[in-house]
Amino acid sequence: MAHASGMHSLEFKLPDLGEGLTEAEIVRWLVEVGDLVTIDQPVVEVETAKAMVEVPCPYGGVVTARFGEEGTELPVGAPLITVAVGERPASASGSGDTASEGSGNVLVGYGTSEAPARRRRVRQERPVSGGSATAGQAGVAAAPVQAQAAAGPAAAVATQAGEPSARVKRQATGLGTDDGPVPVISPLVRRLARQNGLDLRELTGSGPDGLILRADVEYALRASVQGATAAPAAEPPPRVPQAPGPDLASRSSAPAAPGEIRTPLKGIRGAVADKLARSRREIPDATCWVDADATELMRARAAMNAASGPKISLLALLARICTSALTRFPELNATVDTEAREIVRFDHVHLGFAAQTDRGLVVPVVRDAHARDAESLTAEFARLTEAGRTGTLTPGELTGGTFTLNNYGVFGVDGSTPIINHPEAAMLGVGRIVPKPWVHEGELAVRHVVQLSLTFDHRVCDGGVAGGFLRYVADCVEQPAVLLRKL
């Protein structure tokens, strides 16, 4: 039992899944109490206001408790599971060389070669708190739970014999070492860094206890693009404190009066409500309209689909027109950094499009839409729409847009003044295409007419730019051959 005495329980809390999400609902547990889990193994599937997400655990060991039943809604920072981890006995460590234990990388997708959980050491302990946890019957003695700081997975790594005390001090501060874990919790932050080839060990986090936040990664990526050196030459911009998420346990619904039906604003509906309200508060938006004769665009699409190959969607053609217009009017492919009081323009177009699903309104994002042809856009629109309907869109597929295309014509309406998808700077709205009387080549004729609207952030441009953008879009709708200049 000497080995069991070296066991410690680490508490894994629901991480910040990004984009201001403050809560998630447990959909399905992927592990049972008593199961042996490895580092980065998904342990629970949760539904956020944006997508279904499998949450990986940064610890390896035996699951001793689970917090919450399926269907329970938990706030970010609430305990998910506790995991009993152990240290290598002194007799088994031999000469103390632990280099062969594994890579020690706890980032999702990097993996380890052996049981890296043995490399962890608890910094401080506290008794297991009460609640709805299910007690474990895995044969593991009740162990104290680590006092989990916000750095979570950045717990200190066990040091080797004879290591200098300075390294121990670095670990005590929650900062990663060359071969130890990195102080980062959010899977989105890990993936963002991995996709851009950024070494998180080179960053200094601005969060609690040195926790690396998404803002830190984005700041480092911007600095690298601007030619900054690898060493941190300046601190990341200070993070604006946000109000803590609501205490879900203390929520209580007001009693419904006779004839009333009360529906909690949570999940996707709650997230949409919060984002639209923020957009209205922060963005001084304006809208302009124009009617366009879409007859030639419809004929061009029919000709494309008459040929062999995949069918081209109307949304894809509108997207091609959008990306072409944004190259001429890049002011609208931007955002406003309110802290720095700067307008940030993008050299890429990540095009969001509004999609209505059974779970509510979602805005999936087509990455690098400016580099795609009509066939590629059609396929990606179809894939993301289907993922939205099945609830399998990832947070990465729902974030990062730079401009939004809103085809509200599918609802049978002509016009709208849509709310900008914060923090973007503009949205193009497309109404239904219907036969109407129209003067064509000096004569009255029945043509297919569409109303186009552009809602834009007046901070990024004046009416001349917005009007020029919308006029160019209308010209391309009326004469698709205009696009040949840019093909």
Side-chain angles (χ1 to χ4, degrees):
M1 290 297 163
H3 178 70
S5 64
M7 301 293 290
H8 297 275
S9 288
L10 302 181
E11 185 178 78
F12 174 47
K13 300 180 180 181
L14 178 65
D16 178 3
L17 298 173
E19 291 300 310
L21 299 177
T22 59
E23 60 205 43
E25 179 180 331
I26 297 175
V27 175
R28 180 167 59 100
W29 283 105
L30 305 178
V31 295
E32 300 287 343
V33 171
D35 286 356
L36 181 66
V37 296
T38 59
I39 287 180
D40 289 342
Q41 176 180 332
V43 294
V44 64
E45 184 179 46
V46 300
E47 182 177 15
T48 71
K50 292 182 176 291
M52 304 277 280
V53 181
E54 289 186 352
V55 180
C57 178
Y59 310 129
V62 177
V63 178
T64 57
R66 298 188 321 194
F67 295 83
E69 301 297 329
E70 294 179 356
T72 302
E73 197 171 65
L74 298 176
V76 168
L80 274 178
I81 62 172
T82 56
V83 179
V85 300
E87 299 174 352
R88 179 188 294 269
S91 60
S93 60
S95 61
D97 182 8
T98 60
S100 63
E101 284 190 8
S103 68
N105 294 323
V106 297
L107 300 183
V108 175
Y110 279 72
T112 55
S113 59
E114 294 185 31
R118 296 176 178 172
R119 299 169 63 94
R120 299 183 176 275
R121 176 170 294 168
V122 177
R123 286 181 288 177
Q124 49 183 328
E125 300 176 352
R126 62 177 172 82
V128 178
S129 59
S132 59
T134 305
Q137 303 296 330
V140 180
V145 176
Q146 180 189 13
Q148 185 80 4
V157 183
T159 59
Q160 300 178 7
E163 287 183 307
S165 59
R167 183 179 180 185
V168 177
K169 292 179 181 179
R170 285 182 62 199
Q171 294 173 353
T173 63
L175 298 178
T177 62
D178 292 341
D179 61 350
V182 179
V184 56
I185 296 177
S186 172
L188 290 179
V189 174
R190 297 172 177 175
R191 182 167 61 178
L192 179 63
R194 184 169 68 250
Q195 289 176 341
N196 290 277
L198 182 65
D199 187 355
L200 288 171
R201 290 180 175 80
E202 296 179 356
L203 301 187
T204 299
S206 61
D209 296 330
L211 181 66
I212 296 175
L213 307 175
R214 179 170 181 168
D216 301 322
V217 175
E218 292 175 340
Y219 176 83
L221 293 177
R222 288 197 299 268
S224 64
V225 170
Q226 296 169 359
T229 59
E235 290 295 325
R239 186 173 184 238
V240 177
Q242 296 184 354
D247 182 2
L248 299 180
S250 63
R251 287 183 180 176
S252 59
S253 298
E260 289 184 347
I261 299 176
R262 290 180 173 262
T263 303
L265 272 177
K266 63 178 184 178
I268 282 189
R269 175 49 50 194
V272 169
D274 293 341
K275 195 163 189 177
L276 295 181
R278 181 179 182 184
S279 179
R280 274 289 190 238
R281 286 195 308 268
E282 296 184 8
I283 299 178
D285 60 341
T287 303
C288 51
W289 300 266
V290 67
D291 288 340
D293 180 1
T295 305
E296 295 304 321
L297 180 66
M298 301 299 287
R299 287 175 179 172
R301 176 174 177 251
M304 293 178 189
N305 290 339
S308 60
K311 302 298 183 182
I312 304 299
S313 70
L314 179 61
L315 189 62
L317 296 180
L318 293 171
R320 286 288 293 115
I321 293 173
C322 263
T323 56
S324 178
L326 288 172
T327 62
R328 285 176 168 251
F329 301 93
E331 296 91 340
L332 294 168
N333 190 43
T335 189
V336 175
D337 186 337
T338 54
E339 293 180 21
R341 293 186 61 82
E342 294 176 340
I343 296 173
V344 182
R345 292 186 189 175
F346 305 104
D347 60 0
H348 56 269
V349 179
H350 294 336
L351 186 66
F353 67 100
Q356 192 70 34
T357 71
D358 292 339
R359 301 176 65 244
L361 177 69
V362 294
V363 184
V365 176
V366 177
R367 303 284 167 177
D368 298 316
H370 62 288
R372 295 175 181 265
D373 58 20
E375 286 188 4
S376 174
L377 287 168
T378 298
E380 188 67 357
F381 282 136
R383 184 188 71 82
L384 292 173
T385 300
E386 181 60 25
R389 288 171 180 161
T390 58
T392 56
L393 286 167
T394 66
E397 292 170 332
L398 287 163
T399 57
T402 63
F403 187 92
T404 294
L405 174 60
N406 187 359
N407 181 20
Y408 46 76
V410 297
F411 302 119
V413 297
D414 295 322
S416 174
T417 56
I419 299 176
I420 295 174
N421 187 23
H422 184 279
E424 297 169 14
M427 176 186 293
L428 177 68
V430 182
R432 60 176 180 164
I433 301 176
V434 293
K436 288 184 178 181
W438 189 267
V439 177
H440 176 65
E441 296 180 350
E443 296 183 359
L444 188 64
V446 176
R447 307 285 286 183
H448 287 85
V449 179
V450 61
Q451 184 180 99
L452 306 170
S453 66
L454 176 70
T455 300
F456 64 99
D457 185 340
H458 227 313
R459 296 173 297 179
V460 304
C461 70
D462 295 325
V465 171
F469 175 93
L470 190 58
R471 186 64 256 172
Y472 177 81
V473 170
D475 290 344
C476 290
V477 168
E478 294 183 343
Q479 302 176 34
V482 173
L483 288 175
L484 294 177
R485 290 178 175 271
K486 292 292 183 180
L487 293 180

